[in-house]
Amino acid sequence: MKTSFVLLREPGQPLWGAPLETPVAGALEGNGSGSLFHVHPFNGPGAVYALGHRFEGAEALTQARAAHRELPPLEGITSHDESSYKLLVQRAVDACRDGALTKVVTSRRVVHTPESAYDSVDAFAALCERYPDAMVYLLYREGQTTWMGASPEWLLHREGSHLRTMSLAGTRPAGALGHWGAKEKEEQDLVTQDIAYMLRALGATDLTVDGPHVRSAGPVEHLCTWIEGTLPPQASSWSLAQSLHPTPAVGGLPRARASAFLKAHEGYPRGLYAGYMGWSTGSTARFYVNLRCMEVGAQAVALYAGGGITAQSDPQREWEETEAKLQTLRSAIFAR
């Protein structure tokens, strides 16, 4: 396999003709046609690669490990400690209470320096085990840092004219008892309404909204609403994904004001975190929001997590939520 590659595990459905829930590795080549892999950061332009030779199952893991070369150093440091992150959240809460924002998603990056070397492909396998319902990936592009993660969130799934996506917002510890709080319900409703509005503006018809339901994501669970509809014949999957991104589940509302708030106050570049990636072949496409992810360099690993903030948010609880989201990523690296 060529050096640049993506290793993927999509749960519950066949991937590129492989059996259900089987890891698949695909070589990433220059621009082309046919089967394509798309990578888009949170901000800035994305990249599209032709998917070359593919391997399945254990052979995919072996080929990925053999192709994984030396990495460049990881740039950047930990973005926030507990006090500075809670201050960021409080600024977001104040902006929501003042009416400047309805919701904004704040995030943070934590940089770790492992005491001993570890195998990124082993970490990928650990994420597959810990996140059975997520899209798990490892993305290696020669000369760049490696990214990997386990995303529970669809941005866009398309089969011909049929579109399916989700509104994923509202978080609590997995297995929590009792009713969901007002803040989580409000957050979920805001995201659902905005995605439905955007899809109609993009020409989707016959929209149905099903939810919210509870969706498990490792140590936490989310409120999830499924949204389905019919696309116009001329709709481009890549253009649809670009128009939907960033959804309020990773950016905020109003979209432009939330983006301006993050540029002014978040204080670090997100890179691929909260961007999206996925593959397309003709009129079939699957794109996922890049959550629960890490960036791996020669000397360090950066972990990323965030949470949706509204006027009802509590900074201490928001800090604890990001800690819970980071825990499974830490265990994939250090519990070995």
Side-chain angles (χ1 to χ4, degrees):
M1 184 166 61
K2 293 189 177 181
T3 302
S4 298
F5 68 91
V6 62
L7 182 60
L8 283 179
R9 193 289 311 270
E10 289 187 279
Q13 53 191 314
L15 173 62
W16 306 335
L20 292 178
E21 302 187 12
T22 300
V24 175
L28 298 181
E29 302 173 347
N31 292 336
S33 58
S35 295
L36 303 174
F37 191 76
H38 309 255
V39 181
H40 201 290
F42 181 73
N43 289 310
V48 182
Y49 303 91
L51 278 165
H53 193 80
R54 298 192 290 272
F55 300 89
E56 300 174 10
E59 187 179 8
L61 301 180
T62 299
Q63 291 291 334
R65 185 174 286 110
H68 206 212
R69 308 290 178 81
E70 291 185 4
L71 299 176
L74 180 75
E75 297 182 359
I77 59 175
T78 293
S79 63
H80 300 82
D81 59 14
E82 182 175 355
S83 61
S84 63
Y85 187 70
K86 289 194 291 189
L87 178 60
L88 171 63
V89 172
Q90 188 60 57
R91 285 177 175 156
V93 170
D94 292 342
C96 291
R97 289 176 178 171
D98 291 343
L101 298 172
T102 305
K103 174 193 173 179
V104 65
V105 179
T106 60
S107 71
R108 61 189 181 99
R109 175 182 61 201
V110 180
V111 175
H112 292 280
T113 303
E115 294 181 358
S116 59
Y118 71 96
D119 190 301
S120 293
V121 179
D122 285 346
F124 167 88
L127 288 175
C128 287
E129 180 180 352
R130 289 167 170 80
Y131 281 97
D133 298 321
M135 183 280 291
V136 182
Y137 77 92
L138 188 157
L139 174 66
Y140 174 75
R141 294 176 288 179
E142 189 169 14
Q144 301 185 41
T145 53
T146 288
W147 283 78
M148 86 175 87
S151 177
E153 183 172 354
W154 298 13
L155 179 66
L156 169 70
H157 279 207
R158 178 184 185 178
E159 295 286 346
S161 64
H162 182 255
L163 160 80
R164 195 178 194 211
T165 185
M166 64 166 62
S167 161
L168 192 75
T171 305
R172 70 182 186 183
L177 301 177
H179 298 292
W180 285 78
K183 180 262 182 183
E184 288 75 23
K185 291 179 180 179
E186 176 193 28
E187 186 183 352
Q188 162 62 210
D189 188 55
L190 289 170
V191 175
T192 299
Q193 290 185 41
D194 182 80
I195 292 176
Y197 173 83
M198 286 294 296
L199 289 174
R200 291 189 181 97
L202 293 168
T205 58
D206 304 320
L207 286 186
T208 61
V209 178
D210 178 22
H213 306 284
V214 177
R215 183 168 176 83
S216 175
V220 298
E221 58 190 21
H222 305 284
L223 286 173
C224 174
T225 296
W226 294 100
I227 304 170
E228 299 187 52
T230 302
L231 294 170
Q234 71 276 14
S236 158
S237 300
W238 182 233
S239 295
L240 285 166
Q242 288 178 302
S243 297
L244 288 171
H245 173 76
T247 73
V250 294
L253 288 170
R255 292 184 181 222
R257 290 183 187 176
S259 177
F261 177 91
L262 294 174
K263 288 179 181 177
H265 299 295
E266 195 166 56
Y268 80 97
R270 290 187 176 187
L272 296 187
Y273 168 69
Y276 63 91
M277 64 180 63
W279 59 272
S280 65
T281 303
S283 61
T284 298
R286 297 180 194 158
F287 296 118
Y288 298 87
V289 181
N290 187 26
L291 302 176
R292 312 297 190 274
C293 62
M294 66 182 82
E295 181 183 7
V296 184
Q299 85 296 4
V301 180
L303 312 182
Y304 296 79
I309 310 303
T310 70
Q312 301 183 63
S313 294
D314 173 72
Q316 180 61 38
R317 289 185 62 186
E318 297 299 333
W319 166 264
E320 292 169 358
E321 179 180 316
T322 59
E323 279 293 291
K325 290 175 176 176
L326 291 168
Q327 184 52 43
T328 299
L329 294 177
R330 290 190 180 106
S331 67
I333 301 172
F334 302 117
R336 26 188 86 257

